[in-house]
Amino acid sequence: LFAGVCCCCAALRPRYKRLVDNIFPEDPKDGLVKADMEKLTFYAVSAPEKLDRIGAYLAERLSRDVVRHRYGYVLIAMEALDQLLMACHSQSIKPFVESFLHMVAKLLESGEPKLQVLGTNSFVKFANIEEDTPSYHRRYDFFVSRFSAMCHSCDHDPEIQTEIRIAGIRGIQGVVRKTVNDELRATIWEPQHMDKIVPSLLFNMHKIEDIDSRIGPPSSPTGGEKEENPALLAENCFRELLGRATYGNMNNAVRPVFAHLDHHRLWDPNEFAVSCFKIIMYSIQAQYSHHVIQEILGHLDVRKRDSPRVRAGIIQVLLEAVAIAAKGSIGPTVLEVFNTLLKHLRISVDFELGDRRSSAGSATFSTSSKESDERIVQNAIIQTIGFFGSNLPDYQRSEIMMFIMGKVPVLGTTSQSLDASHLGDLGTRRIQIMLLRSLLMVTSGYKATTITNALPPPFLDPLLSPSLMEDSELRQLVLEVLHNLIDRHDNRAKLRGIRIIPDVSDLKIKRDKISRQDVSFMKKHGQQLYRHIYLGCKEEDNVQKNFELLFTSLALTTIELANEEVVIDLIRLAIALQDIAIINEDNLPMFNRCGVMALVAAYLNFLSQMIAVPAFCQHVSKVIETRSLEASYFLPETIFKDKCNLPKSLEKHEKDLFFLTNKIAESLGGSGYSVERLSVPYVPQVTDEDRLSRRKSIVDTVSIQVDILPGNNTEDKIDNTEEITFEALKKAIDNNGLEEQEKEKRRLVIEKFQKAPFEEIAAQCETKANLLHDRLAQILELTIRPPPSPSGTMTITAGHAHYQSVPVYEMKFPDLCVY
């Protein structure tokens, strides 16, 4: 009777329950009953409205079997669920999916590794199914948390540990694929999810033994490797995650990387950090690269008080990221990168000098080590600046050059430069050297079409200012930067080292015809270049490298910018340098004097062969030959040896050892050169740069001697004379309202005297001399009365004031050029 009742009850049960019960065999080892499974599948497809009930009933049976540890039936239930999912694609699958996810969650919550793996595999299959319509209520918070926890499995059995970690990574990959294809995919990019997913992947990636094998674009490991190696699988998932990131959620995916690296102290050493960010830069879309760079810069600011090695590690990561981003789009972050790096350069110098001051008088190993670490930070910053700048387009690189040069602090000025006032002279010098080294790397390989583009006036003036400072290293860096910008045909390597070149044609120097723009540049700014080379040769602390760089500067100017007029100016400059060594008004050491003589010999030997005037070459060769026999210390091959016997004086040397202006003029005149200007000695103009660079001025005032009456000579001087200066005259009048005009006129005249050709200046001075007395009467309201007798004197009156008669040619007006 009881059996009959059971059969009757079973017959009255709903059909879907009977179909579900039939797929389970009596012995779970027999597996799923395939014939009954086909019936269940056909029923589900035919009546999709029953799917939610089928799913709920399967979930009920599975939950009961999990609690009773009947794992065989659990496997059968999950297999049935998988087949139903794959077979039924319709809108009615939504309720069934909820039951399915509930069953997967039950498996993941169990402590049995096999069930966790089983649930993960089912979830991955589900993630690969494309649903017809999005789900507006389904969330995967639990699965993100659970899969992330599985990625950190620490099971005592290594095989089980690896299996669970692989399952966790595959689960995360499934969540990512499922959510990013959903219209509500933005939920997965929320910080609370990314803070779990990204560290879990990085934790497994860090187990890669050969990190270098994964530095670069995405690799393509075989399917077996990805399934068996958690590190490879995690990296592949990480790349896929970043590749799906968009503009709005890129930062949320990158920030957890910094947290993981900070928490596990992976900035020092930073091999893993570098590999992570290389993966990031190669995986994301190129137009989003600047987001990553901004995040690195921001993290560098956050960690600015950390140890030097940590900061150096972050900067090294920035360098690697910039190296990849510079090949694509870096957006608006160019100046931000340089500004942040320069700020941290100043901070590093501040730390270094602060530690040195705090440990003054008690040098310890730890302090020395910290200073050395700060040098590592500074070198990393310079490398990053240089590499970033050298990979920028030319138009951006020129802006960066101006930007860096504007940051170089100059003593005595107030500008937008880095604030180094509190660091003192030593700190200012350190920052100057660092910035110039950065500028040197940025200008490396820069090829401008015209020299004006490479050296615009707003850049040329501040660049040449440090070349007047009393620091040989600063002057060397300035000259090297100048070489990078002038050398447009890669001739510098052929000119390396100062020497007498037997045959310049063997160097195979490349050069083009001088363009009109370059000719115009030399007319305007040539005197600036000559002046800085001239003054650079007069520095007492010059070493061999300084002379080598000065020689290269002259040679490159000859190759790139020299026409006939510039050649004459360069010869005048070379003769003036020779006079520095012979006359020695600056009391230079004997080594410097001989070094200048060697520099002039090497350059005139090079120049004579470049312009190929036989008579000029003959004169230069004869002088060099005489020197090699009688005064070899005047040649670079001898003077720059370690042990060179220096002469006691140069006054007794014969003229055969010197390059003579009259012979050079005679040799060039026969070849059609205009040599009139060779008779005019080269004298550099003095500007405010000498004051700003803390040099001693070679001339305190610029005197203008005016000779109104012809025929006057020095024998007509009157001993009892009073020098009339502009300052004395200015005190005698009220100059209210003229001060601003005077400053502007003064600036224009000084600029003109610096850049205008000599003939133009001489002609204008001659014209102004004839109109000088009229101009004085007009501006100063002075009455100039010509002398009654040809005694060469004149009387100046202002109102009732009467000035003593003075010789006309003795009147000096240091600042009169404003008129």
Side-chain angles (χ1 to χ4, degrees):
L1 179 62
F2 180 76
V5 173
C6 290
C7 291
C8 183
C9 292
L12 294 176
R13 296 180 65 194
R15 184 181 179 187
Y16 72 89
K17 287 189 177 181
R18 284 182 279 129
L19 291 173
V20 170
D21 290 337
N22 291 338
I23 67 174
F24 292 93
E26 292 185 3
D27 187 356
K29 294 182 180 179
D30 295 337
L32 182 68
V33 179
K34 294 183 179 180
D36 292 325
M37 186 65 214
E38 291 177 358
K39 294 179 182 179
L40 178 62
T41 304
F42 178 78
Y43 176 78
V45 172
S46 303
E49 68 277 3
K50 300 293 185 179
L51 265 175
D52 57 333
R53 299 181 183 182
I54 295 173
Y57 185 61
L58 275 171
E60 180 184 344
R61 287 203 55 154
L62 183 138
S63 299
R64 185 169 62 247
D65 292 335
V66 169
V67 172
R68 296 176 179 178
H69 300 284
R70 299 168 64 179
Y71 298 139
Y73 288 119
V74 172
L75 294 175
I76 294 174
M78 290 308 300
E79 185 178 355
L81 283 169
D82 294 341
Q83 291 190 22
L84 288 174
L85 275 175
M86 301 302 294
C88 302
H89 289 195
S90 68
Q91 295 183 3
S92 300
I93 202 175
K94 300 297 179 189
F96 178 75
V97 169
E98 298 303 322
S99 300
F100 168 78
L101 293 178
H102 177 69
M103 287 184 281
V104 171
K106 285 289 185 181
L107 296 180
L108 296 178
E109 286 177 339
S110 69
E112 184 63 33
K114 290 183 179 180
L115 295 185
Q116 293 178 357
V117 174
L118 177 63
T120 301
N121 293 337
S122 295
F123 183 84
V124 171
K125 292 178 183 178
F126 163 72
N128 292 327
I129 296 176
E130 294 186 6
E131 300 183 52
D132 297 334
T133 58
S135 174
Y136 293 97
H137 63 281
R138 190 186 308 153
R139 297 185 64 86
Y140 298 92
D141 299 14
F142 168 79
F143 296 99
V144 170
S145 301
R146 188 58 194 157
F147 288 137
S148 298
M150 291 169 64
C151 291
H152 293 84
S153 173
C154 296
D155 195 279
H156 61 277
D157 188 340
E159 292 185 0
I160 295 177
Q161 180 187 101
T162 301
E163 189 177 12
I164 295 177
R165 288 188 179 183
I166 290 176
I169 297 168
R170 294 181 67 241
I172 289 177
Q173 193 173 32
V175 172
V176 171
R177 290 177 179 176
K178 192 64 178 176
T179 53
V180 296
N181 291 328
D182 198 308
E183 289 185 5
L184 298 180
R185 60 185 177 274
T187 56
I188 195 64
W189 299 105
E190 293 176 358
Q192 64 265 28
H193 298 321
M194 287 291 105
D195 290 344
K196 298 173 183 177
I197 292 174
V198 174
S200 300
L201 298 177
L202 295 178
F203 176 77
N204 287 275
M205 289 168 57
H206 195 203
K207 302 301 179 181
I208 300 177
E209 296 184 4
D210 185 10
I211 295 176
D212 294 335
S213 64
R214 264 150 298 284
I215 295 179
S219 57
S220 299
T222 62
E225 289 178 341
K226 289 190 290 185
E227 294 296 331
E228 297 175 2
N229 192 332
L232 287 174
L233 185 61
E235 180 185 331
N236 188 65
C237 182
F238 188 52
R239 291 182 186 274
E240 183 177 348
L241 174 68
L242 294 168
R244 297 174 183 269
T246 59
Y247 179 85
N249 48 49
M250 175 60 63
N251 294 343
N252 290 340
V254 174
R255 285 171 185 166
V257 178
F258 294 104
H260 179 82
L261 297 175
D262 289 343
H263 180 71
H264 294 277
R265 300 179 180 179
L266 297 176
W267 295 113
D268 177 32
N270 68 338
E271 288 81 3
F272 179 71
V274 169
S275 68
C276 281
F277 277 91
K278 282 192 172 183
I279 290 172
I280 292 172
M281 297 303 293
Y282 280 118
S283 300
I284 63 176
Q285 300 180 45
Q287 63 267 29
Y288 303 147
S289 298
H290 63 279
H291 279 290
V292 180
I293 294 176
Q294 284 178 326
E295 289 296 323
I296 299 175
L297 292 173
H299 196 69
L300 182 60
D301 286 336
V302 172
R303 304 298 298 272
K304 64 183 179 182
R305 297 292 178 183
D306 280 31
S307 66
R309 291 190 174 273
V310 169
R311 286 181 282 128
I314 299 174
I315 294 169
Q316 180 67 27
V317 167
L318 177 64
L319 172 61
E320 300 294 343
V322 160
I324 300 171
K327 300 174 184 177
S329 172
I330 51 177
T333 60
V334 177
L335 288 180
E336 182 182 353
V337 171
F338 286 98
N339 196 38
T340 303
L341 289 174
L342 294 179
K343 179 180 68 176
H344 283 276
L345 183 63
R346 183 192 61 78
I347 292 173
S348 178
V349 174
D350 193 3
F351 284 160
E352 178 186 356
L353 296 179
D355 294 335
R356 185 178 301 175
R357 286 192 294 267
S358 64
S359 61
S362 59
T364 61
F365 175 77
S366 59
T367 302
S368 175
S369 176
K370 192 167 185 180
E371 288 182 8
S372 177
D373 290 344
E374 290 294 346
R375 296 293 178 95
I376 294 175
V377 175
Q378 295 160 16
N379 291 333
I381 293 174
I382 292 171
Q383 270 190 318
T384 305
I385 291 175
F387 193 88
F388 195 7
S390 62
N391 281 278
L392 291 175
D394 287 345
Y395 73 93
Q396 280 189 325
R397 201 193 305 199
S398 60
E399 293 178 1
I400 294 305
M401 289 157 48
M402 297 277 291
F403 181 76
I404 296 177
M405 200 65 240
K407 295 292 184 179
V408 177
V410 179
L411 294 171
T413 62
T414 57
S415 64
Q416 298 298 320
S417 62
L418 291 183
D419 181 17
S421 57
H422 66 287
L423 301 179
D425 292 352
L426 180 60
T428 301
R429 176 187 176 275
R430 287 282 299 154
I431 291 180
Q432 287 172 335
I433 290 177
M434 294 297 168
L435 292 178
L436 288 175
R437 286 177 58 193
S438 304
L439 185 62
L440 179 62
M441 295 194 68
V442 171
T443 56
S444 178
Y446 181 59
K447 297 291 188 299
T449 54
T450 64
I451 197 65
T452 306
N453 294 337
L455 291 170
F459 177 72
L460 179 63
D461 294 336
L463 172 65
L464 294 179
S465 293
S467 69
L468 300 178
M469 295 181 179
E470 296 176 339
D471 189 293
S472 62
E473 187 175 358
L474 281 173
R475 299 196 301 274
Q476 291 171 12
L477 290 170
V478 171
L479 290 174
E480 288 178 323
V481 171
L482 198 62
H483 297 168
N484 282 345
L485 298 173
I486 294 178
D487 184 20
R488 291 171 286 177
H489 296 88
D490 298 323
N491 292 311
R492 183 175 31 169
K494 304 170 186 176
L495 301 168
R496 186 170 290 121
I498 180 172
R499 63 196 186 281
I500 302 297
I501 304 173
D503 190 353
V504 174
S505 62
D506 292 341
L507 300 179
K508 298 181 179 180
I509 290 175
K510 300 177 183 178
R511 63 184 306 192
D512 294 330
K513 185 178 179 180
I514 308 302
S515 66
R516 188 183 309 172
Q517 293 87 345
D518 292 347
V519 172
S520 176
F521 174 85
M522 289 305 292
K523 286 184 178 180
K524 293 180 180 179
H525 306 287
Q527 294 299 324
Q528 284 180 272
L529 297 178
Y530 307 149
R531 174 177 181 270
H532 286 268
I533 292 175
Y534 178 86
L535 297 178
C537 290
K538 299 177 68 173
E539 297 292 346
E540 294 185 5
D541 61 341
N542 280 339
V543 294
Q544 179 179 350
K545 185 176 181 180
N546 291 88
F547 289 110
E548 290 177 352
L549 294 173
L550 289 166
F551 166 75
T552 305
S553 300
L554 290 168
L556 290 175
T557 303
T558 304
I559 296 171
E560 298 286 349
L561 304 169
N563 56 7
E564 290 189 6
E565 183 178 347
V566 174
V567 167
I568 297 299
D569 287 336
L570 289 170
I571 294 175
R572 291 175 57 217
L573 174 61
I575 298 301
L577 293 176
Q578 180 178 254
D579 292 341
I580 289 177
I582 297 174
I583 301 173
N584 196 27
E585 292 180 347
D586 298 277
N587 297 320
L588 295 175
M590 185 56 67
F591 169 79
N592 294 64
R593 297 172 69 184
C594 293
V596 172
M597 296 291 282
L599 168 64
V600 173
Y603 174 63
L604 289 181
N605 170 71
F606 176 81
L607 176 63
S608 63
Q609 296 186 58
M610 288 295 294
I611 64 176
V613 176
F616 186 25
C617 293
Q618 185 178 0
H619 172 64
V620 172
S621 300
K622 185 177 180 180
V623 173
I624 291 175
E625 183 179 354
T626 305
R627 288 185 177 185
S628 63
L629 297 175
E630 300 180 11
S632 60
Y633 40 77
F634 283 169
L635 299 176
E637 288 81 1
T638 302
I639 186 60
F640 296 124
K641 287 183 179 179
D642 293 336
K643 296 180 181 179
C644 175
N645 295 324
L646 299 175
K648 295 182 179 180
S649 66
L650 304 182
E651 286 71 18
K652 297 182 179 180
H653 286 79
E654 300 293 335
K655 289 186 177 181
D656 293 342
L657 297 175
F658 305 138
F659 300 100
L660 304 178
T661 305
N662 57 346
K663 291 190 176 182
I664 295 176
E666 182 181 349
S667 61
L668 294 179
S671 297
Y673 281 82
S674 177
V675 296
E676 290 80 7
R677 288 189 298 122
L678 282 178
S679 59
V680 181
Y682 171 78
V683 178
Q685 296 293 331
V686 179
T687 67
D688 288 341
E689 289 177 349
D690 300 286
R691 175 181 59 81
L692 298 181
S693 58
R694 306 182 97 180
R695 284 179 53 92
K696 295 180 180 178
S697 177
I698 59 173
V699 180
D700 293 331
T701 59
V702 179
S703 298
I704 300 178
Q705 295 185 355
V706 184
D707 191 352
I708 297 179
L709 297 178
N712 293 333
N713 53 51
T714 56
E715 296 178 358
D716 298 325
K717 283 187 179 180
I718 299 177
D719 295 335
N720 187 17
T721 62
E722 178 182 353
E723 183 174 285
I724 300 177
T725 65
F726 179 76
E727 293 295 329
L729 294 175
K730 188 167 62 174
K731 292 178 182 179
I733 63 174
D734 182 9
N735 63 345
N736 290 336
L738 297 177
E739 184 176 355
E740 294 299 326
Q741 298 180 18
E742 291 174 0
K743 288 182 180 179
E744 179 64 19
K745 290 179 181 179
R746 187 190 305 275
R747 186 188 67 78
L748 293 175
V749 172
I750 290 176
E751 183 178 354
K752 185 172 185 179
F753 269 80
Q754 284 181 341
K755 301 175 180 179
F758 176 78
E759 292 81 357
E760 181 181 344
I761 296 174
Q764 290 186 1
C765 287
E766 182 178 359
T767 302
K768 289 186 178 181
N770 296 330
L771 300 175
L772 181 61
H773 64 286
D774 294 335
R775 194 62 171 160
L776 284 172
Q778 178 184 354
I779 297 178
L780 302 177
E781 299 181 358
L782 296 176
T783 302
I784 301 181
R785 186 168 58 254
S789 61
S791 59
T793 63
M794 70 178 181
T795 303
I796 299 179
T797 61
H800 297 288
H802 183 77
Y803 292 87
Q804 183 178 359
S805 297
V806 297
V808 176
Y809 54 79
E810 189 66 13
M811 293 176 59
K812 297 183 179 179
F813 302 91
D815 300 296
L816 198 56
C817 53
V818 297
Y819 300 118

